[in-house]
Structure formats: structure tokens, C-alpha cells
Amino acid sequence: MANTINGFSKLSKHDKIKWISNTYFNNNQDVIEIIEQYWNSDQELQKLHDEFIENTITNFYLPFGVAPNFKINEKWYTIPMVIEESSVVAAAAKAAKFWSERGGFKTTILGTEKIGQVHFIYKGHIDLLTQFINTIQHKFYEDTAPITQNMQKRGGGIKNIELRDKTTDIENYYQLHVTFETKDSMGANFINSCLEQIAKTLKNEAMQYSNFSEKEKAIDVIMSILSNYVPNCVVRAEVSCPIEDLKGKDIKDPQLFAEKFVQAVRIAEVEPYRAVTHNKGVMNGVDAVVLATGNDFRAIEAGVHAYASRNGRYSSLSHASIENGQFKFWIDLPLALGTVGGLTSLHPMVKVALTMLQNPSATELMQVIAVAGLAQNFAAVKSLTTTGIQQGHMKMHLMNILNQFKATDAERAKVVAHFEKNVVSHSAVVELLESLRK
Ligand code: MEV
């Protein structure tokens, strides 16, 4: 059977599903049922979700969990997290409690600058181009005024437009490197609209610039687009306490713990193989809150990993030190976020998440998300350097295995009780279930 189709987007939702069932499931009715059982009975709500993207056929559930007891700059938060990995929310909640008893998390905004670029080709002398850009600078601001007016009222707008010579990388290649402040919006649409206008102005003004020859007038704009690399839109989150205060249920020897922890972070600083996994632990926390608050996790991921490589080698996002008997653990994260616009006003669960966070500004959300990343990283490195990661992971994963084998409530109770004292492994759970079922 042919598995290509013309005009798929014009089919009704049900017909799209039927086509999928026919093409890939031998016309099996069960698959239609599986797909349609995730439709929401509230038709208006379903329509809202259908229209987020093209060719929606159903919804894809992910758990929306919460991690309470986060003390950040003396304020308490319950952090919403959307994630499928079983141990993440539990680890966040544990780290939150641990640090709430040791002074809480502290955060600082280091910058809020966003970047966009107009990439273009100019065949002429750089001095003449510089003179031209200086002459028309004011036109860029005037022509974008209808777009920037509202943003300016909120204290944002275009902060700087700089000509950059990139001809050592590509012949005749230049950029207008534009800096923006977008306040509480992530600003992608705002930035891209401004850039496209700036590109138009650049081309039009070049055509009329009498000092340019015909060749110089023919500026060729290649593209105009924001950058998801935001090394000056950065938040710092940190925790610190006297080493002896680290003592707790799982930390019997705080000095040894602190030293091993710092050593583990140093390894992630110098060893890219470890750094990637270390940072993945950070992103477990970051992405979960980014998703729950309706932000663009692909943009965040791309920007964060570029930042982790900014010194030429991929390295740890977090750092730790011991100084004068004080343990300190901190992270700097580039986070371009919004708390207005985009999905934030459309998705009902995003509204719930933002309300739960007490309607944060974008900078406050940066702080909360950096804390979620640091907490997650702390929990992972703490486990790795003490009990090992599998103990906690497999405890949480136990539920997935029980679900996979459709365990009854009675079986669940027995299995969970057994693994309070025994090491969880997939085969051990299956074996126990089988023996209970005999
Ligand atoms: C698993 O999702 C994340 C960890 O691998 C992070 C780390 O190794 O630091 C536990």
C-alpha cells in the first residue's frame, strides 16, 4: 500500500486517523480507539489544542507534577514540572527540602539581553559600508517604531545595532548584530519582525545611497533571524553552607561528601563525556519547568549547550567550591523566557503553572528555572557520589514495571513492600510477580 498522500491536511481529524490505520495498521480498529481515547470530551478545549499545530490527530499526555518547598531568595515556591522520567520530581522535591533547611537558594540576574542578526553580502569597501550604516542608523529606529512602540512603553526595545565584519569567515559577509530587551515576553516574534524591517531599510537605503556604486548598492540580505544563543541573558543560582551543616540522613561524613562532590563537578568541568551527562541532569530540572510554563524548550536547550561550549570545550554548567569551611555550589544559565505572549496565555495548564508560581516576571521565572536545574544537578551528583544513581532510579522505575505487567493493587503492595529492603532490578520484579501469580 502506498504510504504517501496528497491533501492530508484537508482531511477531517477522523479521516486522518483512518488513513493512518489503513496505511500502517492493516485497518485495525483498535489503533483508532487508542488514538481517539486521548481526545478531550470538552470540544472547545480540544479545538484549542488541535489548533496549536497542523495535522493534530490526538493529544499526547505527559505527567504534570509539582515539587514543593523551594525557598528562593527567602520566598517559597511550589515548582510545576512536566516530565516523564520517574525520579526527576522526587529528586527536585528532596533537594528543595535539603536546601530549605540550609538557607535556601539564592539567585541573581546577570543580564537580560537578547540577540538578533541580519546576515548580508556587500561587495565593496568596509569603510564606505561603516559610513553608510552610521548615516542610516536613525532610519532603523524610525522604521521599526511601529513595531517597537508598545515594547518601549514596557521599558524594552532595540538597544543597539552594530555592524560586524565577518569577511574573514565568508567573502563579503557582514552582519547587523542587534541587541534587544524584551521584558516579560520571550520576544521571538518581536525580534524577528524588527529584524525583517531593519533588513528592508538596509536594502532600500543602500539603493538610494549616492556614495555607493551600483555594485555596492546591491546589498544581498541572506536572512534575518533571532539567535537562540543568549550569553548575556543569564541567571546565577547558588546554594552554600558550612560543611558541617551538610550532615544529614544520607551524608554521614560531610567533609568527605563535600570533597567528593567538588571533585565530581571538577570532572564535569574538564571531561566532555561526563559534562554532557552532568548537564543532562541540569536540563532534567530546567526542561520540566520550561515545558510546564509554556516556554520553548528547544530554544533553551540549544542556547544552554552552546553556552556550555563557549570557551571552546564543552564543559559543566555548574561549579562547586570549598573555601574556609564553606561548601558552595552554583550555576550560570542563559535562559530566554517569557511569561506573557505565546502559549502562556493560551494553554490552560500553563496558566495554572504560572499562577502557582505567583505570576512571575520573566526574570523571576529565570531564577526559578535555574534553581530547578541546580537542585536537580545537586540531587544527581549527591546520589552519584554516595549511594549510586540506580537505587533511587529503580525505586521510581518499579512503578513503571508494575504498570507494564498490569499488577493488581494487592500485587503492588506486596512488591513495593519487598523492594523496601531489596535491590530493584527489572528481572527481580518480574520474578517476584511471577511467583505471586503462581
Ligand atoms: C539522568 O536522567 C540524569 C543523570 O545521569 C545526571 C548525572 O549523571 O549527573 C543522573
Side-chain angles (χ1 to χ4, degrees):
M1 167 168 314
N3 59 0
T4 60
I5 180 171
N6 285 327
F8 183 76
S9 67
K10 298 197 177 60
L11 297 181
S12 73
K13 203 157 72 163
H14 186 72
D15 286 346
K16 284 180 184 128
I17 294 170
K18 259 178 42 195
W19 182 82
I20 285 169
S21 160
N22 275 335
T23 315
Y24 295 105
F25 295 86
N26 246 340
N27 205 12
N28 183 334
Q29 291 307 296
D30 294 353
V31 74
I32 299 184
E33 229 171 82
I34 292 172
I35 294 173
E36 293 189 352
Q37 79 181 344
Y38 285 95
W39 287 5
N40 201 294
S41 54
D42 178 338
Q43 295 205 354
E44 217 176 294
L45 189 66
Q46 187 53 58
K47 189 163 175 285
L48 179 77
H49 285 76
D50 287 351
E51 289 175 359
F52 284 153
I53 60 168
E54 174 115 340
N55 292 343
T56 306
I57 56 169
T58 190
N59 307 305
F60 184 91
Y61 287 179
L62 278 179
F64 180 110
V66 295
N69 304 321
F70 270 95
K71 188 179 182 187
I72 308 174
N73 303 331
E74 304 304 319
K75 187 170 163 185
W76 291 96
Y77 293 87
T78 297
I79 301 189
M81 303 178 91
V82 170
I83 189 151
E84 87 299 345
E85 191 174 324
S86 37
S87 56
V88 168
V89 177
K94 224 171 140 189
K97 184 124 198 307
F98 183 92
W99 283 107
S100 74
E101 290 158 0
R102 291 163 180 81
F105 295 84
K106 306 272 180 293
T107 58
T108 323
I109 296 291
L110 303 178
T112 58
E113 190 181 282
K114 315 245 170 87
I115 301 294
Q117 297 171 319
V118 177
H119 305 267
F120 66 95
I121 301 294
Y122 159 81
K123 293 179 185 158
H125 200 280
I126 170 96
D127 289 347
L128 195 55
L129 179 65
T130 310
Q131 195 186 81
F132 163 67
I133 296 293
N134 287 341
T135 313
I136 64 157
Q137 268 274 345
H138 69 102
K139 281 292 285 176
F140 291 138
Y141 290 93
E142 281 162 26
D143 293 355
T144 50
I147 311 168
T148 57
Q149 242 165 29
N150 281 339
M151 188 61 86
Q152 270 170 344
K153 279 189 205 137
R154 291 192 269 139
I158 299 171
K159 294 293 162 198
N160 191 39
I161 304 174
E162 181 194 323
L163 173 67
R164 290 197 171 174
D165 178 354
K166 306 295 285 183
T167 52
T168 49
D169 295 325
I170 297 176
E171 199 183 6
N172 302 323
Y173 167 38
Y174 295 86
Q175 294 170 349
L176 288 175
H177 186 88
V178 188
T179 315
F180 297 87
E181 169 57 57
T182 61
K183 302 308 278 185
D184 286 337
S185 65
M186 194 259 189
N189 280 333
F190 169 73
I191 292 174
N192 289 334
S193 300
C194 287
L195 291 171
E196 287 186 6
Q197 179 55 56
I198 289 170
K200 255 187 222 153
T201 303
L202 175 74
K203 271 184 82 75
N204 290 344
E205 293 297 319
M207 297 292 283
Q208 293 162 37
Y209 194 57
S210 54
N211 293 348
F212 274 166
S213 66
E214 285 312 304
K215 201 170 81 180
E216 287 154 347
K217 280 182 179 172
I219 281 182
D220 188 13
V221 172
I222 305 297
M223 60 191 157
S224 311
I225 186 73
L226 96 166
S227 172
N228 291 122
Y229 184 43
V230 284
N232 294 320
C233 183
V234 174
V235 54
R236 173 167 299 169
E238 62 184 85
V239 285
S240 67
C241 72
I243 290 181
E244 64 269 22
D245 289 2
L246 289 168
K247 204 175 175 117
K249 204 171 103 217
D250 326 316
I251 303 172
K252 302 287 176 244
D253 183 340
Q255 182 68 35
L256 183 69
F257 169 78
E259 282 168 13
K260 259 184 117 171
F261 192 101
V262 169
Q263 203 59 271
V265 175
R266 272 202 203 119
I267 291 170
E269 283 167 346
V270 300
E271 164 54 54
Y273 278 95
R274 173 58 201 148
V276 171
T277 317
H278 181 91
N279 291 347
K280 190 273 184 185
V282 172
M283 300 315 284
N284 276 344
V286 170
D287 281 338
V289 193
V290 167
L291 260 174
T293 56
N295 276 282
D296 180 343
F297 61 91
R298 288 85 59 209
I300 296 295
E301 282 282 341
V304 165
H305 296 297
Y307 189 75
S309 322
R310 70 194 180 285
N311 297 322
R313 175 170 69 181
Y314 190 88
S315 178
S316 170
L317 291 159
S318 64
H319 308 281
S321 68
I322 299 174
E323 264 172 50
N324 305 321
Q326 190 83 2
F327 170 80
K328 188 171 150 189
F329 182 45
W330 73 98
I331 195 165
D332 289 350
L333 279 178
L335 296 172
L337 300 166
T339 52
V340 298
L343 215 57
T344 56
S345 49
L346 284 177
H347 198 301
M349 282 312 297
V350 169
K351 283 193 225 165
V352 170
L354 289 171
T355 308
M356 196 189 302
L357 288 170
Q358 303 152 77
N359 297 317
S361 60
T363 49
E364 193 178 352
L365 186 60
M366 283 169 79
Q367 301 176 58
V368 169
I369 291 181
V371 164
L374 188 70
Q376 208 63 49
N377 190 210
F378 177 78
V381 177
K382 176 169 168 280
S383 294
L384 287 169
T385 53
T386 55
T387 57
I389 205 77
Q390 281 312 90
Q391 186 181 306
H393 257 227
M394 290 312 286
K395 271 227 163 93
M396 296 303 295
H397 190 53
L398 179 59
M399 291 306 146
N400 289 341
I401 306 174
L402 290 173
N403 284 337
Q404 191 188 337
F405 286 89
K406 299 194 167 38
T408 62
D409 286 349
E411 286 170 342
R412 267 164 205 271
K414 282 189 189 143
V415 173
V416 169
H418 174 84
F419 284 107
E420 294 275 305
K421 294 186 207 74
N422 293 285
V423 178
V424 181
S425 73
H426 194 272
S427 57
V429 178
V430 175
E431 239 169 67
L432 181 60
L433 267 176
E434 278 172 355
S435 74
L436 290 175
R437 286 173 178 179
K438 264 188 193 143

